[in-house]
Amino acid sequence: MPTPEQIAENERNCAIARGIYFNSRDAEVSRSDWHAALKDARGTIADALRASDYLRNPSAALQRSGFHMAAFRNLLAPPCSQDQFRILCGSWPKASEKSGSPLKSETADEVEAVLKEWFDPAAAPWIAHDRNPTRPELRTALQRASAFIALQRFQTVQRSRISEQQESAVIGLLTSLGWTKLPSRMIDTRAAVDKKTFMHKTRFATATTTSQEVDIACGLGGTVVAAIECKVTNDETNSVKRINDVLKKAAAWHAHWGSFVETVAVLQGVIAPKDVHRLSDERVHVFWSHDLEHFSSWIEKRLAS
C-alpha cells in the first residue's frame, strides 16, 4: 500500500497533469479532428451497409472483412462495445475488427444471428419489410451510428497525437543523456539490450506464445532492462483501461523474466489517483511527462548502481 506521503504526491501529480491536459486543448484543432472522424465514420458505415446488402446479409460482409463489425455493433439497440458483443457471441474473434481479417463462414453466420436479434429497428426499418432502404432511412442510419464511432476515433486520434509527443520527449531525453538507439528486435534473451542503449517499439518474449510490445526498452546493465510504457488518457474512465494494460504487461514480463525486467510507466493526461496507486502496488515505477527530470535522475542512478 502507498504511504500517506506517496498518496499525496500521486494526487498532486494527477492534478498537475489534468491541468496541463485541459490547458493544452485547442478548440479549432478539436473541431477539425471531430469533423474528420465523422467523415471517416460515415464511410465505415456506408461500406458495411453496401457489403451486407443493407444489413440483410452481414455474414457475407464479415466473410470479406472483419472491419465491418465496427458499423454493425453501433447499429444495435443498444450499441455494443467489442467486449459486450463478445459476451453475446463468444465465437466472435474480437481482433478481426481491428485487423480486418475475414471470418470463416460458420463464425460469420453465428455473428449474423446475434446481430439480427439485436439490430435497432428504428435505425434500419427496411429489414422488417424486406425491401431496400430509402434515402432518408439511409441518412438516419448513418447519423445514428456515426456519432458513436466518430467519438471513439476522435479520442484515439487526439490521444495518439499526444502519445507520439510523449514518446518523442522520452527518447529525446535519453539521447541527450548519451544513450544509443538500437534497431528494434524481439527481446528473447537476457543482455539483449546493452547498457545505456534503448529500442523504440519493440517486443518482449513472455511465458506464453504471445509477445508483449513495449514503447521503449532501456538497458540498465547487468542484463536488467527497463520496460517503459508511455500512457496518455483522456479521462478517468479511459485511465482504467490504460493502467490495466500496463499491469497486464508487467505481470507477463515478471512471470517470464523475474527481476530482470523493471516496468516503468510515464503518465500524461487525466488519470485517477487510485489508478496510480494500483501501479505502485504492483511495483511499477511511476513518472510523469511534466516531470521528466525525476525520470532522468532515476535512470542515471540505476546506471550507476
Side-chain angles (χ1 to χ4, degrees), residues 244-255 261 263 282-284:
N244 284 347
D245 182 50
V246 175
L247 293 174
K248 178 183 176 182
K249 290 182 178 182
W253 294 330
H254 182 74
V261 172
T263 305
E282 297 301 324
R283 297 174 295 178
V284 175

Side-chain angles (χ1 to χ4, degrees), residues 74-150:
N74 286 286
L75 285 165
L76 305 182
C80 270
S81 68
Q82 291 181 336
D83 290 336
Q84 289 168 339
F85 190 81
R86 185 68 190 274
I87 293 172
L88 295 175
C89 184
S91 61
W92 175 58
K94 184 171 73 170
S96 64
E97 182 179 314
K98 182 176 181 180
S99 67
S101 300
L103 272 60
K104 294 180 180 179
S105 59
E106 182 179 351
T107 303
D109 288 345
E110 292 172 358
V111 172
E112 178 182 287
V114 176
L115 289 171
K116 286 188 172 180
E117 180 182 358
W118 287 84
F119 272 142
D120 185 355
W126 63 87
I127 296 177
H129 301 286
D130 193 24
R131 58 172 172 78
N132 287 328
T134 64
R135 285 185 178 275
E137 287 172 340
L138 284 177
R139 195 157 45 243
T140 297
L142 287 169
Q143 290 172 344
R144 288 176 73 97
S146 60
F148 297 115
I149 297 175

Side-chain angles (χ1 to χ4, degrees), residues 26-283:
D26 184 291
E28 185 173 346
V29 172
S30 293
R31 274 194 296 271
S32 177
D33 287 343
W34 173 245
H35 292 152
L38 269 176
K39 182 179 179 181
D40 183 56
R42 288 173 185 140
T44 295
I45 298 162
D47 289 344
L49 289 172
R50 286 191 292 267
S52 63
D53 190 21
Y54 299 99
L55 304 182
R56 285 186 287 249
N57 194 353
S59 177
L62 293 170
Q63 288 178 59
R64 287 193 287 273
S65 173
F67 286 136
H68 297 309
M69 272 301 294
F72 295 153
R73 286 189 300 102
N74 286 286
L75 285 165
L76 305 182
C80 270
S81 68
Q82 291 181 336
D83 290 336
Q84 289 168 339
F85 190 81
R86 185 68 190 274
I87 293 172
L88 295 175
C89 184
S91 61
W92 175 58
K94 184 171 73 170
S96 64
E97 182 179 314
K98 182 176 181 180
S99 67
S101 300
L103 272 60
K104 294 180 180 179
S105 59
E106 182 179 351
T107 303
D109 288 345
E110 292 172 358
V111 172
E112 178 182 287
V114 176
L115 289 171
K116 286 188 172 180
E117 180 182 358
W118 287 84
F119 272 142
D120 185 355
W126 63 87
I127 296 177
H129 301 286
D130 193 24
R131 58 172 172 78
N132 287 328
T134 64
R135 285 185 178 275
E137 287 172 340
L138 284 177
R139 195 157 45 243
T140 297
L142 287 169
Q143 290 172 344
R144 288 176 73 97
S146 60
F148 297 115
I149 297 175
L151 181 58
Q152 296 165 0
R153 293 182 179 176
F154 166 77
Q155 292 174 336
T156 299
V157 165
Q158 293 218 319
R159 188 171 60 246
S160 297
R161 183 184 297 126
I162 300 172
S163 182
E164 289 173 6
Q165 296 169 354
Q166 183 190 39
E167 290 177 24
S168 294
V170 174
I171 291 171
L173 173 63
L174 292 171
T175 302
S176 72
L177 294 174
W179 288 63
T180 301
K181 183 178 180 181
L182 301 176
S184 296
R185 65 179 187 277
M186 172 73 77
I187 300 174
D188 53 8
T189 61
R190 294 179 186 174
V193 188
D194 293 333
K195 185 175 182 178
K196 212 168 182 180
T197 66
F198 69 93
M199 299 180 194
H200 182 220
K201 295 298 185 188
T202 189
R203 305 188 75 87
F204 273 103
T206 65
T208 67
T209 56
T210 304
S211 59
Q212 294 283 351
E213 185 181 68
V214 61
D215 292 328
I216 304 169
C218 295
L220 299 178
T223 73
V224 177
V225 178
I228 302 174
E229 285 290 288
C230 297
K231 293 298 178 185
V232 175
T233 72
N234 300 318
D235 54 52
E236 291 189 359
T237 300
N238 182 258
S239 81
V240 174
K241 181 177 181 180
R242 303 299 154 200
I243 298 307
N244 284 347
D245 182 50
V246 175
L247 293 174
K248 178 183 176 182
K249 290 182 178 182
W253 294 330
H254 182 74
H256 187 69
W257 297 96
S259 61
F260 290 97
V261 172
E262 296 188 21
T263 305
V264 176
V266 179
L267 306 178
Q268 184 171 342
V270 183
I271 302 168
K274 61 181 176 60
D275 288 322
V276 184
H277 303 336
R278 290 199 294 137
L279 290 173
S280 300
D281 288 344
E282 297 301 324
R283 297 174 295 178

